[in-house]
Short mmCIF file of all heavy atoms in Angstrom, two decimals:
data_model
loop_
_atom_site.label_atom_id
_atom_site.label_comp_id
_atom_site.label_asym_id
_atom_site.label_seq_id
_atom_site.Cartn_x
_atom_site.Cartn_y
_atom_site.Cartn_z
N PHE A 1 11.51 1.21 7.82
CA PHE A 1 10.10 1.01 8.13
C PHE A 1 9.88 -0.31 8.86
O PHE A 1 10.52 -1.32 8.55
CB PHE A 1 9.25 1.00 6.86
CG PHE A 1 8.87 2.36 6.34
CD1 PHE A 1 9.64 3.47 6.61
CD2 PHE A 1 7.73 2.51 5.56
CE1 PHE A 1 9.29 4.73 6.12
CE2 PHE A 1 7.37 3.75 5.06
CZ PHE A 1 8.15 4.86 5.34
N ALA A 2 8.92 -0.30 9.78
CA ALA A 2 8.36 -1.53 10.34
C ALA A 2 6.89 -1.54 9.93
O ALA A 2 6.18 -0.54 10.11
CB ALA A 2 8.51 -1.57 11.86
N TRP A 3 6.43 -2.68 9.41
CA TRP A 3 5.11 -2.76 8.80
C TRP A 3 4.15 -3.61 9.63
O TRP A 3 4.53 -4.67 10.13
CB TRP A 3 5.21 -3.39 7.41
CG TRP A 3 6.06 -2.62 6.45
CD1 TRP A 3 7.42 -2.69 6.32
CD2 TRP A 3 5.61 -1.67 5.48
NE1 TRP A 3 7.86 -1.83 5.33
CE2 TRP A 3 6.77 -1.20 4.79
CE3 TRP A 3 4.37 -1.17 5.12
CZ2 TRP A 3 6.69 -0.26 3.77
CZ3 TRP A 3 4.29 -0.23 4.10
CH2 TRP A 3 5.44 0.22 3.44
N ALA A 4 2.92 -3.17 9.72
CA ALA A 4 1.88 -4.01 10.30
C ALA A 4 1.53 -5.12 9.32
O ALA A 4 1.58 -4.93 8.09
CB ALA A 4 0.64 -3.18 10.62
N ASP A 5 1.17 -6.28 9.84
CA ASP A 5 0.78 -7.39 8.99
C ASP A 5 -0.48 -7.01 8.21
O ASP A 5 -1.41 -6.41 8.75
CB ASP A 5 0.50 -8.63 9.85
CG ASP A 5 0.43 -9.90 9.03
OD1 ASP A 5 0.89 -9.88 7.88
OD2 ASP A 5 -0.09 -10.90 9.56
N GLY A 6 -0.49 -7.35 6.94
CA GLY A 6 -1.62 -7.02 6.08
C GLY A 6 -1.40 -5.82 5.19
O GLY A 6 -2.22 -5.56 4.29
N ALA A 7 -0.31 -5.06 5.42
CA ALA A 7 -0.06 -3.88 4.60
C ALA A 7 0.05 -4.24 3.12
O ALA A 7 -0.54 -3.59 2.25
CB ALA A 7 1.20 -3.16 5.08
N PHE A 8 0.79 -5.31 2.83
CA PHE A 8 1.01 -5.66 1.43
C PHE A 8 -0.16 -6.42 0.83
O PHE A 8 -0.32 -6.46 -0.39
CB PHE A 8 2.33 -6.42 1.29
CG PHE A 8 3.53 -5.52 1.44
CD1 PHE A 8 3.95 -5.10 2.69
CD2 PHE A 8 4.19 -5.04 0.33
CE1 PHE A 8 5.03 -4.24 2.83
CE2 PHE A 8 5.27 -4.18 0.45
CZ PHE A 8 5.69 -3.77 1.72
N ALA A 9 -0.99 -6.98 1.68
CA ALA A 9 -2.26 -7.52 1.17
C ALA A 9 -3.13 -6.39 0.65
O ALA A 9 -3.81 -6.53 -0.38
CB ALA A 9 -2.98 -8.29 2.29
N THR A 10 -3.10 -5.25 1.33
CA THR A 10 -3.85 -4.08 0.86
C THR A 10 -3.29 -3.57 -0.46
O THR A 10 -4.06 -3.26 -1.40
CB THR A 10 -3.80 -2.96 1.92
OG1 THR A 10 -4.49 -3.41 3.09
CG2 THR A 10 -4.44 -1.69 1.41
N ILE A 11 -1.98 -3.50 -0.58
CA ILE A 11 -1.38 -3.07 -1.85
C ILE A 11 -1.76 -4.02 -2.97
O ILE A 11 -2.16 -3.58 -4.07
CB ILE A 11 0.15 -2.97 -1.71
CG1 ILE A 11 0.53 -1.91 -0.67
CG2 ILE A 11 0.79 -2.65 -3.05
CD1 ILE A 11 2.02 -1.87 -0.35
N ALA A 12 -1.66 -5.32 -2.72
CA ALA A 12 -2.01 -6.31 -3.75
C ALA A 12 -3.47 -6.17 -4.16
O ALA A 12 -3.81 -6.30 -5.35
CB ALA A 12 -1.74 -7.72 -3.22
N GLY A 13 -4.34 -5.88 -3.20
CA GLY A 13 -5.75 -5.70 -3.51
C GLY A 13 -5.99 -4.52 -4.43
O GLY A 13 -6.80 -4.60 -5.36
N HIS A 14 -5.31 -3.42 -4.17
CA HIS A 14 -5.48 -2.25 -5.03
C HIS A 14 -4.93 -2.50 -6.44
O HIS A 14 -5.53 -2.06 -7.43
CB HIS A 14 -4.79 -1.04 -4.41
CG HIS A 14 -5.57 -0.41 -3.28
ND1 HIS A 14 -6.83 0.10 -3.45
CD2 HIS A 14 -5.26 -0.22 -1.97
CE1 HIS A 14 -7.27 0.58 -2.30
NE2 HIS A 14 -6.34 0.39 -1.39
N LEU A 15 -3.82 -3.20 -6.53
CA LEU A 15 -3.28 -3.51 -7.86
C LEU A 15 -4.23 -4.43 -8.61
O LEU A 15 -4.46 -4.26 -9.81
CB LEU A 15 -1.90 -4.14 -7.72
CG LEU A 15 -0.80 -3.24 -7.13
CD1 LEU A 15 0.50 -4.02 -7.01
CD2 LEU A 15 -0.60 -1.99 -7.98
N ALA A 16 -4.81 -5.40 -7.90
CA ALA A 16 -5.75 -6.31 -8.55
C ALA A 16 -7.00 -5.57 -9.01
O ALA A 16 -7.64 -5.96 -9.99
CB ALA A 16 -6.13 -7.44 -7.59
N ALA A 17 -7.35 -4.49 -8.31
CA ALA A 17 -8.52 -3.70 -8.68
C ALA A 17 -8.24 -2.73 -9.82
O ALA A 17 -9.14 -1.98 -10.24
CB ALA A 17 -9.03 -2.93 -7.46
N GLY A 18 -7.01 -2.72 -10.31
CA GLY A 18 -6.67 -1.89 -11.46
C GLY A 18 -6.06 -0.55 -11.13
O GLY A 18 -5.83 0.27 -12.03
N LYS A 19 -5.74 -0.29 -9.85
CA LYS A 19 -5.10 0.97 -9.50
C LYS A 19 -3.68 0.99 -10.06
O LYS A 19 -2.96 -0.01 -10.00
CB LYS A 19 -5.08 1.17 -7.99
CG LYS A 19 -6.47 1.20 -7.35
CD LYS A 19 -7.33 2.31 -7.91
CE LYS A 19 -8.69 2.36 -7.22
NZ LYS A 19 -9.57 3.40 -7.80
N ARG A 20 -3.29 2.15 -10.57
CA ARG A 20 -1.97 2.26 -11.20
C ARG A 20 -1.04 3.17 -10.42
O ARG A 20 0.09 3.43 -10.85
CB ARG A 20 -2.14 2.71 -12.65
CG ARG A 20 -3.05 1.76 -13.42
CD ARG A 20 -3.19 2.10 -14.87
NE ARG A 20 -1.97 1.84 -15.62
CZ ARG A 20 -1.86 1.98 -16.93
NH1 ARG A 20 -2.91 2.40 -17.63
NH2 ARG A 20 -0.73 1.74 -17.54
N ALA A 21 -1.50 3.68 -9.30
CA ALA A 21 -0.65 4.44 -8.39
C ALA A 21 -1.29 4.37 -7.00
O ALA A 21 -2.52 4.31 -6.88
CB ALA A 21 -0.50 5.89 -8.83
N ILE A 22 -0.45 4.37 -5.97
CA ILE A 22 -0.93 4.28 -4.59
C ILE A 22 -0.16 5.29 -3.74
O ILE A 22 1.08 5.35 -3.78
CB ILE A 22 -0.72 2.86 -4.00
CG1 ILE A 22 -1.48 1.82 -4.85
CG2 ILE A 22 -1.18 2.79 -2.55
CD1 ILE A 22 -1.17 0.38 -4.46
N TYR A 23 -0.91 6.09 -2.98
CA TYR A 23 -0.32 7.02 -2.02
C TYR A 23 -0.55 6.49 -0.61
O TYR A 23 -1.60 5.91 -0.30
CB TYR A 23 -0.96 8.40 -2.13
CG TYR A 23 -0.41 9.26 -3.24
CD1 TYR A 23 -0.89 9.12 -4.54
CD2 TYR A 23 0.58 10.21 -2.99
CE1 TYR A 23 -0.41 9.91 -5.56
CE2 TYR A 23 1.07 11.00 -4.02
CZ TYR A 23 0.58 10.85 -5.30
OH TYR A 23 1.07 11.64 -6.31
N TYR A 24 0.44 6.76 0.24
CA TYR A 24 0.36 6.28 1.62
C TYR A 24 1.32 7.12 2.46
O TYR A 24 2.35 7.57 1.97
CB TYR A 24 0.76 4.80 1.68
CG TYR A 24 1.07 4.30 3.06
CD1 TYR A 24 0.04 4.06 3.96
CD2 TYR A 24 2.38 4.10 3.48
CE1 TYR A 24 0.31 3.63 5.25
CE2 TYR A 24 2.67 3.66 4.75
CZ TYR A 24 1.63 3.43 5.63
OH TYR A 24 1.91 3.01 6.89
N MET A 25 0.97 7.32 3.72
CA MET A 25 1.83 8.09 4.63
C MET A 25 2.07 7.30 5.91
O MET A 25 1.13 6.83 6.54
CB MET A 25 1.16 9.43 4.98
CG MET A 25 2.00 10.33 5.85
SD MET A 25 3.52 10.87 5.02
CE MET A 25 4.23 11.95 6.28
N CYS A 26 3.34 7.15 6.27
CA CYS A 26 3.69 6.46 7.51
C CYS A 26 3.83 7.49 8.64
O CYS A 26 3.72 8.69 8.42
CB CYS A 26 4.98 5.69 7.36
SG CYS A 26 6.44 6.77 7.36
N ILE A 27 4.08 6.99 9.84
CA ILE A 27 4.26 7.85 11.01
C ILE A 27 5.64 7.58 11.60
O ILE A 27 6.09 6.43 11.66
CB ILE A 27 3.17 7.57 12.07
CG1 ILE A 27 1.79 7.82 11.48
CG2 ILE A 27 3.39 8.45 13.31
CD1 ILE A 27 1.53 9.24 11.03
#
């Protein structure tokens, strides 16, 4: 994978909001 900047900031935000699972689809 090659990631756009900010991808893991989004993951961290969801974890901080209490999400316990995250779905995502790459291209």
Side-chain angles (χ1 to χ4, degrees):
F1 276 26
W3 299 84
D5 194 16
F8 286 79
T10 295
I11 297 173
H14 282 300
L15 295 178
K19 300 300 182 182
R20 303 183 71 176
I22 300 172
Y23 278 83
Y24 165 75
M25 183 64 177
C26 75
I27 301 298

